[in-house]
């Protein structure tokens, strides 16, 4: 079953990073180096899945030009399907401009979001075709309300599960009903606290688990996972009456960037293979630890990841 694709709907970003060679002067001219790096949560998810052996059909946008070409070449080179990526004259790819001082710390940043109305129109035309041969859909649920409705409705018509990853809560806070239409929703404790109306950031997994079980029952959420960083994660599959705590895998911390994306990728891939949620979160914790031990924000290729 792993050879059948998972679909992924999200946006691409180009990260433009400027590194100051000496003491950074915020109002003066600074010498240093500038790098262009492919980024964005959806891109990270696609690459993680490909690296653990799960084919992905990427439904997104990318600007016409050299940087867009390079991004799609990178993805296609990893076996990721890009035939449903819309090429646009402008604002198809998001931009993140970051300035790092001489110590490597972030000194300032500006983010330019892509034009989501373009993706909305694109999905209205191609979503059913793109999902037709897929076994599930990974969806950035907070792109905008129209995109969420289109994507989930088409997936429901095809009887394929939707796995939701949180963006910025702009949609979910106004449309919490969408959670009931997801096969599984994964977020961190801060995001879960905002959704449920609690402050969870200083709580232990043992304190958060009963709350998740309560909210899952009252809201009739099919399945949900709350990640809690080094404290691990809690999970509840209401439909299967399965819940518990997954401890974090031991890891020598190099860079925590991308750990949440890795957790989501492995967890969803495991669920799409028919594994129960308690096993899926175990794989999520395992891949997350591998990313934490690396300076990369995605995992390295993993041979036989689901065989271990």
């Amino acid at each position: 079953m792993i050879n059948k694709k998972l679909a992924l709907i999200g946006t691409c970003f180009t990260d433009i990073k400027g590194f100051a060679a000496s003491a950074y002067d915020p109002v003066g001219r600074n010498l240093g180096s500038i790098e262009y790096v492919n980024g964005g949560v959806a891109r990270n998810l696609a690459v993680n899945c490909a690296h653990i052996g799960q084919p992905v059909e990427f439904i997104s946008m990318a600007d016409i030009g050299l940087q867009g070409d390079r991004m799609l070449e990178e993805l296609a080179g990893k076996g990721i399907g890009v035939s449903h990526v819309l090429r646009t004259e402008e604002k198809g790819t998001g931009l993140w401009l970051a300035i790092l001082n001489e110590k490597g710390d972030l000194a300032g940043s500006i983010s330019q979001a892509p034009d989501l109305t373009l993706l909305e129109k694109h999905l209205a035309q191609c979503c059913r075709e793109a999902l037709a041969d897929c076994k599930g859909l990974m969806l950035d649920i907070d792109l905008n309300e129209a995109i969420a409705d289109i994507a989930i409705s088409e997936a429901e018509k095809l009887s394929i599960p939707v796995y939701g990853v949180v963006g910025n809560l702009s949609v979910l806070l106004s449309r919490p009903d969408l959670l009931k239409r997801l096969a599984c929703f994964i977020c961190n404790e801060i995001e879960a606290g905002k959704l449920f109306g609690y402050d969870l950031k200083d709580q232990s997994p043992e304190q958060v688990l009963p709350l998740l079980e309560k909210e899952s029952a009252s809201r009739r959420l099919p399945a949900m996972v709350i990640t809690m960083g080094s404290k691990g994660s809690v999970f509840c599959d209401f439909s299967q009456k399965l819940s518990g705590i997954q401890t974090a895998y031991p890891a020598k911390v190099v860079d925590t960037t991308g750990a949440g994306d890795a957790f989501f990728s492995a967890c969803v891939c495991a669920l799409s293979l028919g594994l129960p949620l308690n096993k899926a979160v175990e794989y999520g914790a395992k891949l997350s630890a591998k990313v934490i031990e690396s300076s990369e924000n995605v995992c390295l290729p993993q041979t036989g990841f689901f065989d271990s």
Side-chain angles (χ1 to χ4, degrees):
M1 188 66 170
I2 198 165
N3 290 324
K4 196 169 184 181
K5 288 184 176 182
L6 279 171
L8 168 62
I9 296 177
T11 53
C12 294
F13 273 75
T14 295
D15 298 343
I16 307 170
K17 298 182 178 180
F19 300 86
S22 57
Y24 175 68
D25 181 355
V27 296
R29 181 174 297 180
N30 296 272
L31 295 178
S33 60
I34 297 175
E35 294 181 1
Y36 288 77
V37 182
N38 295 334
V41 170
R43 175 262 177 191
N44 293 347
L45 298 180
V47 171
N48 283 330
C49 290
H51 282 179
I52 58 176
Q54 172 58 64
V56 172
E57 183 65 34
F58 194 29
I59 309 166
S60 186
M61 305 181 294
D63 287 343
I64 296 171
L66 181 60
Q67 196 60 35
D69 291 345
R70 287 176 174 172
M71 182 174 296
L72 296 188
E73 287 170 2
E74 178 211 24
L75 296 175
K78 297 178 182 298
I80 297 165
V82 295
S83 62
H84 292 96
V85 175
L86 174 69
R87 302 304 298 273
T88 64
E89 291 292 341
E90 60 179 3
K91 294 189 177 180
T93 305
L95 298 173
W96 184 57
L97 173 64
I99 298 175
L100 297 98
N101 64 22
E102 70 282 2
K103 297 178 180 179
D105 297 325
L106 187 66
S109 68
I110 298 175
S111 181
Q112 176 182 294
D115 184 352
L116 293 174
T117 62
L118 299 174
L119 182 58
E120 183 182 326
K121 294 176 182 177
H122 180 52
L123 285 175
Q125 296 175 345
C126 79
C127 192
R128 186 173 302 185
E129 175 191 349
L131 299 182
D133 295 322
C134 295
K135 61 180 178 179
L137 168 63
M138 297 181 287
L139 173 66
D140 182 343
I141 199 75
D142 287 311
L143 293 173
N144 69 29
E145 190 172 325
I147 289 173
D149 276 326
I150 292 170
I152 294 173
S153 295
E154 291 299 335
E156 288 173 340
K157 291 173 185 176
L158 295 168
S159 299
I160 64 173
V162 180
Y163 306 101
V165 61
V166 70
N168 53 20
L169 293 177
S170 60
V171 172
L172 282 178
L173 288 177
S174 60
R175 289 286 308 278
D177 59 288
L178 292 174
L179 290 173
K180 294 188 290 186
R181 300 168 68 184
L182 303 176
C184 186
F185 176 63
I186 300 173
C187 66
N188 64 37
E189 76 269 33
I190 296 174
E191 295 155 347
K194 290 180 180 178
L195 283 172
F196 297 155
Y198 299 93
D199 184 357
L200 304 180
K201 63 182 179 180
D202 294 322
Q203 302 294 302
S204 68
E206 290 77 13
Q207 292 171 308
V208 174
L209 180 58
L211 172 64
L212 176 58
E213 293 170 332
K214 173 187 173 183
E215 293 291 336
S216 295
S218 63
R219 297 168 185 258
R220 304 197 68 80
L221 307 180
M224 184 170 172
V225 180
I226 301 175
T227 60
M228 303 181 69
S230 61
K231 293 182 285 188
S233 61
V234 297
F235 61 90
C236 180
D237 185 333
F238 180 73
S239 61
Q240 297 297 318
K241 307 301 180 186
L242 177 67
S243 63
I245 296 170
Q246 171 62 48
T247 57
Y249 269 61
K252 182 179 179 181
V253 178
V254 174
D255 186 348
T256 60
T257 304
D261 296 341
F263 185 100
F264 180 90
S265 303
C267 185
V268 168
C269 288
L271 290 173
S272 74
L273 291 171
L275 296 175
L277 188 55
N278 61 318
K279 289 297 295 182
V281 295
E282 183 179 333
Y283 279 113
K286 179 180 177 182
L287 194 66
S288 181
K290 290 181 180 295
V291 170
I292 288 172
E293 292 184 328
S294 168
S295 60
E296 300 293 325
N297 58 3
V298 294
C299 68
L300 297 174
Q302 307 288 317
T303 302
F305 180 74
F306 290 107
D307 297 333
S308 58

